[in-house]
Amino acid sequence: MDKTLKIIPLLFAVLVAVISISSCTRQTETTPTEQKKHLEVVLRSQNGDYWKTVKMGAEVAAKEFDVTLDFRAPGDEADVKGQIALMEQSISSGPDAIVLAANDFKELSEVVDDAATLGIPVITIDSEVETRKAKSFIGANNYEAGQMAGKQLIKLAGTSGQIAIVSFKQGERNTELREQGLLDEISKYPDIKVIDKVYSLTDRELAAQLTHNIMEKHPQLDGIVALNEISSIGVADAIQRMNLQDKVKIITFDSTSEELELMQEGVIQATIIQNPFSIGYLGVKNAVEASKGKKVPSRVDTGIKAIDLGNMFWSDNQKLLFPFIK
């Protein structure tokens, strides 16, 4: 056979192989890279150490799970309409999931339902929403937190006396649960009388003024329980300015640097702390899993703890109080 005829099939085979390889190469090159999932995080407020810690926990989780985040929050926790508008903006941005710390138990339910209708999973953190459409709630048991505050008060002020409650927003879910837990606990002691209950609307100066008014009306007051971070600092400010820190026992919530300093100065006797870093971290973790269609737990209790001068320097408590210091 002619040598030329023998070479032609070989050349044809090589050509087919080259075309095939070239085609595969082009296909690999044009395959788009997988886009990162994007989450929206809508918090109760832009302000306060508590929310800064929640945000940091969320950011750590975002880095670990390789997702992007956008944060939104009203300037004031009392701005429910503002937060609803922010949720609407988050929904319109088309995220893979939303993490929400709701400012109102009932008012945020409709916008959460709207997100669910569009196939956007919503994970609620810190405060619940009155809807079955949220995939998960992550946060502390606020009723038990109120009970714990009551136990600390009895431990420090005794089983008889006059107390006042400085809360934050009437009708708000976390407020109601903390108040009920506190009142149920102290109801076990009939000689403890709640002589006043006021609402500071997450306004530090208002909390201080309300505390000043209470002390002028009830100079024999034995203790005050403040039910959130802003109220706590306002109450402590007023008691310190009136030079009553040796007389009035103060139980607070959360663990800002100011509160811890006031505890060391003897103005605050105990504080009930949550775990805001874990709340933020687990909120994003569950949102990522929900965005992938995975089943997430309907509730995650992140725990509470009572901190006083006697245990604030324990190593385990230091991790809770200062989660970013190694």
Side-chain angles (χ1 to χ4, degrees):
M1 182 182 293
D2 190 333
K3 289 183 179 180
T4 304
L5 293 176
K6 290 181 180 179
I7 292 171
I8 288 173
L10 179 61
L11 290 175
F12 180 75
V14 170
L15 181 62
V16 169
V18 169
I19 292 171
S20 176
I21 292 169
S22 176
S23 174
C24 291
T25 303
R26 283 199 302 272
Q27 185 176 3
T28 302
E29 288 174 351
T30 57
T31 300
T33 56
E34 186 178 349
Q35 191 171 6
K36 286 186 179 183
K37 287 190 177 294
H38 175 71
L39 274 58
E40 292 277 321
V41 181
V42 182
L43 300 179
R44 290 170 64 105
S45 173
Q46 302 171 7
N47 306 312
D49 288 357
Y50 181 88
W51 296 112
K52 290 175 184 176
T53 308
V54 170
K55 184 178 178 182
M56 288 182 181
E59 289 170 336
V60 168
K63 185 175 181 180
E64 181 176 335
F65 298 104
D66 197 27
V67 298
T68 61
L69 300 179
D70 273 336
F71 290 91
R72 305 176 193 265
D76 188 337
E77 288 189 33
D79 186 7
V80 176
K81 289 183 179 179
Q83 193 185 44
I84 291 171
L86 292 175
M87 270 292 289
E88 290 170 347
Q89 291 174 24
S90 290
I91 291 169
S92 66
S93 73
D96 293 289
I98 296 174
V99 179
L100 169 66
N103 279 350
D104 192 278
F105 178 63
K106 295 182 178 180
E107 294 295 325
L108 271 292
S109 59
E110 184 176 345
V111 75
V112 171
D113 290 348
D114 291 343
T117 300
L118 293 171
I120 302 170
V122 178
I123 304 297
T124 56
I125 61 172
D126 182 77
S127 49
E128 298 180 69
V129 179
E130 190 180 41
T131 177
R132 294 184 178 180
K133 298 295 181 66
K135 294 289 186 181
S136 180
F137 167 69
I138 298 164
N141 184 318
N142 283 289
Y143 178 82
E144 289 182 0
Q147 285 183 305
M148 186 175 286
K151 289 175 181 176
Q152 289 298 307
L153 178 71
I154 299 303
K155 175 182 172 183
L156 292 161
T159 57
S160 64
Q162 299 179 348
I163 71 161
I165 300 170
V166 179
S167 193
F168 45 112
K169 183 184 174 187
Q170 195 163 10
E172 198 269 343
R173 180 72 167 173
N174 286 3
T175 306
E176 290 180 340
L177 290 170
R178 290 178 189 180
E179 284 182 14
Q180 194 58 55
L182 171 63
L183 293 171
D184 285 353
E185 184 63 32
I186 62 179
S187 69
K188 300 172 183 176
Y189 307 91
D191 291 331
I192 291 282
K193 307 296 182 185
V194 178
I195 60 173
D196 211 342
K197 181 171 67 172
V198 295
Y199 296 90
S200 70
L201 302 175
T202 65
D203 183 323
R204 174 175 176 161
E205 292 305 317
L206 178 57
Q209 185 59 55
L210 291 169
T211 302
H212 186 275
N213 295 345
I214 289 170
M215 293 310 306
E216 289 206 325
K217 286 189 295 182
H218 308 286
Q220 302 306 313
L221 195 74
D222 298 291
I224 299 176
V225 180
L227 293 178
N228 80 334
E229 172 190 318
I230 303 300
S231 300
S232 297
I233 297 169
V235 167
D237 280 348
I239 293 301
Q240 191 171 40
R241 285 201 297 262
M242 298 176 78
N243 200 29
L244 294 172
Q245 57 265 34
D246 294 327
K247 180 182 182 300
V248 181
K249 306 299 183 185
I250 303 176
I251 312 299
T252 66
F253 268 73
D254 299 323
S255 55
T256 67
S257 56
E258 280 186 89
E259 285 177 276
L260 297 177
E261 186 176 339
L262 288 163
M263 185 180 294
Q264 292 182 74
E265 293 173 359
V267 181
I268 292 172
Q269 278 66 51
T271 189
I272 309 303
I273 67 167
Q274 304 175 73
N275 196 334
F277 183 88
S278 288
I279 289 172
Y281 178 90
L282 293 173
V284 168
K285 178 179 183 291
N286 277 16
V288 171
E289 291 178 352
S291 73
K292 295 177 179 178
K294 296 181 181 179
K295 185 175 176 60
V296 294
S298 60
R299 297 186 70 85
V300 179
D301 187 342
T302 51
I304 51 174
K305 183 171 279 192
I307 299 292
D308 57 26
L309 195 57
N311 68 11
M312 70 180 294
F313 295 108
W314 295 1
S315 59
D316 286 349
N317 292 341
Q318 287 282 290
K319 292 174 185 177
L320 290 171
L321 296 170
F322 307 104
F324 314 111
I325 299 174
K326 294 183 179 179

